[in-house]
Amino acid sequence: MKKLLNTLFVTQPDVYLSLDGDNIVLVKEQEKLGRLPLHNLEAVISFGYTGASPALMGYCAERNISLSFFTMNGRFLARVIGESNGNVVLRKKQYAVSADEVLSAKIARNFIIGKIYNHKWILERWTRDYPLRIDVAQFKAVSQQLSELILQVRTCEDLQRLRGLEGQAATSYFKLLDSMVLQQKEDFYFHSRSRRPPLDNVNAMLSFAYSLLANDVTSALEGVGLDAYVGFMHRDRPGRASLALDVMEELRGVYADRFVLSLINKKMVSKEDFLRKENGAVIMKDEARKKFLAAWQNKKQEKITHPYLGEKISWGLVPHAQALLLARHLRHDLDEYPPFLWK
């Protein structure tokens, strides 16, 4: 199993990244702010527009160090990648399956089974841990709905119907997300999902978490030799990492949503951490983003037992484990892709 290394987050917008030997150097207005050895890093994520030197880009691409650029609001801009990794036969198989909608649906439905199953057990966990603070009957009713939808998804071989079932499940689950906010209810509420732009504090954090997760999953897929831009449920669209969006479906709730709820309910964030712009968009302030990223890195270090592999790994390695299992399925080493089923 891959070793989980560190991720460097550069949160100041006017910092330029350069290379000196085997080190990354952070420069601001001709002044060196810091210097770190690259052999300890698996990823560098920069929030801002100043950029990086071609030498650093080449170094990272050659050594499979993910170098990604986001806006200050957390919207993904670009990634630096080198030569394609992996067996060309694996990628040709991926492309052939993606071109066949029936074969695509058979893989995509396992992503969705994982997503709905994990959403169901998030709700069940809430009924167990907070029975006096939520409407248990409502949570149980939605949990039962999700169980019924899983049975329909298991036999679905049509992508359009699969998307419809996934949409039903997501709508039912998100209706209860606001009830899972147990602290600071006046400042942290969730009425519906708003993306571009996020219109409240919860959506701002969800969008940021999903962007980070998508970047991690993209790196994991490329690490095992798959093409992160050719998906099965999410179809081809220029500039969209469709396969990364497929694989992260089963991790959205159990990884990103629970993380955001934890920050709110443990009062690690407050209303002062957010700024509302003239167009209604809500963004995190610089210090809030730093707190968020520090907590995200700590989350990635937490250990769990992988439900299929039976190995104790960190949360940060879950995308890599799922990418590996998907590659094994496409090589016919596994009869089906085993989704990540959390409980």
Side-chain angles (χ1 to χ4, degrees):
M1 179 61 68
K2 175 184 171 70
K3 182 180 178 182
L4 185 65
L5 298 176
N6 296 316
T7 298
L8 171 65
F9 294 100
V10 183
T11 59
Q12 294 187 45
D14 48 359
V15 171
Y16 184 75
L17 310 178
S18 64
L19 181 71
D20 183 8
D22 293 320
N23 303 288
I24 182 172
V25 180
L26 284 65
V27 181
K28 179 179 180 180
E29 298 176 353
Q30 307 302 316
E31 179 186 354
K32 290 185 179 180
L33 299 182
R35 176 189 180 95
L36 293 167
L38 281 159
H39 66 265
N40 289 328
L41 300 178
E42 67 174 5
V44 178
I45 298 179
S46 177
F47 295 88
Y49 298 97
T50 307
S53 71
L56 178 64
M57 293 182 189
Y59 185 101
C60 291
E62 287 176 7
R63 290 159 180 79
N64 201 30
I65 299 172
S66 173
L67 177 56
S68 306
F69 298 92
F70 289 74
T71 67
M72 291 301 294
N73 298 338
R75 183 173 61 83
F76 173 78
L77 291 173
R79 296 181 74 248
V80 175
I81 58 174
E83 296 180 1
S84 296
N85 295 315
N87 190 327
V88 66
V89 176
L90 173 63
R91 290 194 180 223
K92 288 179 71 175
K93 177 64 177 177
Q94 176 189 354
Y95 300 150
V97 172
S98 178
D100 187 317
E101 291 206 357
V102 174
L103 293 178
S104 291
K106 289 181 178 179
I107 296 179
R109 69 188 180 193
N110 283 13
F111 299 140
I112 302 308
I113 286 172
K115 178 178 184 176
I116 300 175
Y117 179 95
N118 291 337
H119 282 176
K120 170 186 169 64
W121 282 103
I122 289 171
L123 302 183
E124 290 290 343
R125 182 76 71 91
W126 236 257
T127 64
R128 185 196 71 186
D129 294 344
Y130 308 104
L132 301 180
R133 305 185 68 178
I134 62 170
D135 185 338
V136 172
Q138 186 183 28
F139 272 62
K140 287 289 186 181
V142 173
S143 175
Q144 181 59 37
Q145 290 175 21
L146 297 183
S147 294
E148 293 167 1
L149 285 169
I150 288 174
L151 294 177
Q152 295 181 56
V153 170
R154 285 178 61 184
T155 57
C156 182
E157 295 186 357
D158 179 81
L159 278 176
Q160 196 61 34
R161 180 166 179 264
L162 183 62
R163 294 188 188 101
L165 294 171
E166 185 274 333
Q168 290 179 48
T171 299
S172 297
Y173 164 78
F174 275 125
K175 283 181 179 177
L176 295 181
L177 192 67
D178 187 63
S179 298
M180 290 185 268
V181 177
L182 304 178
Q183 302 286 344
Q184 310 180 85
K185 294 287 288 186
E186 291 185 2
D187 304 312
F188 293 90
Y189 49 82
F190 182 88
H191 301 317
S192 63
R193 183 79 180 101
S194 55
R195 297 172 177 82
R196 298 189 180 99
L199 300 176
D200 56 62
N201 298 345
V202 175
N203 271 294
M205 288 194 290
L206 286 176
S207 292
F208 195 41
Y210 292 158
S211 292
L212 294 173
L213 181 57
N215 189 65
D216 289 346
V217 174
T218 298
S219 297
L221 292 167
E222 291 173 351
V224 299
L226 290 166
D227 188 334
Y229 288 80
V230 178
F232 303 122
M233 187 176 82
H234 292 84
R235 309 308 287 173
D236 296 348
R237 182 185 297 174
R240 181 171 76 175
S242 296
L243 185 59
L245 295 178
D246 283 353
V247 174
M248 72 178 278
E249 287 291 353
E250 60 205 77
L251 300 177
R252 283 180 185 268
V254 73
Y255 199 128
D257 296 358
R258 288 178 67 243
F259 173 77
V260 167
L261 288 168
S262 176
L263 293 185
I264 298 169
N265 290 332
K266 291 180 179 179
K267 298 185 177 180
M268 297 173 68
V269 291
S270 68
K271 66 178 181 180
E272 285 75 22
D273 289 322
F274 298 85
L275 177 68
R276 184 177 293 277
K277 301 179 74 175
E278 291 181 1
N279 65 352
V282 174
I283 61 173
M284 282 188 285
K285 296 178 181 177
D286 290 349
E287 286 303 314
R289 193 160 38 242
K290 291 176 183 178
K291 287 191 294 185
F292 190 104
L293 293 170
W296 182 263
Q297 280 302 96
N298 290 335
K299 170 71 175 177
K300 289 171 71 171
Q301 298 293 338
E302 293 177 7
K303 297 288 185 180
I304 60 161
T305 299
H306 192 280
Y308 181 82
L309 298 174
E311 295 182 22
K312 205 167 187 65
I313 64 173
S314 61
W315 268 109
L317 288 179
V318 170
H320 297 274
Q322 295 311 118
L324 181 63
L325 292 171
L326 179 58
R328 288 179 180 174
H329 168 61
L330 291 172
R331 292 192 192 101
H332 301 294
D333 295 333
L334 293 172
D335 291 337
E336 282 192 80
Y337 165 75
F340 180 81
L341 302 177
W342 175 86
K343 195 171 183 179

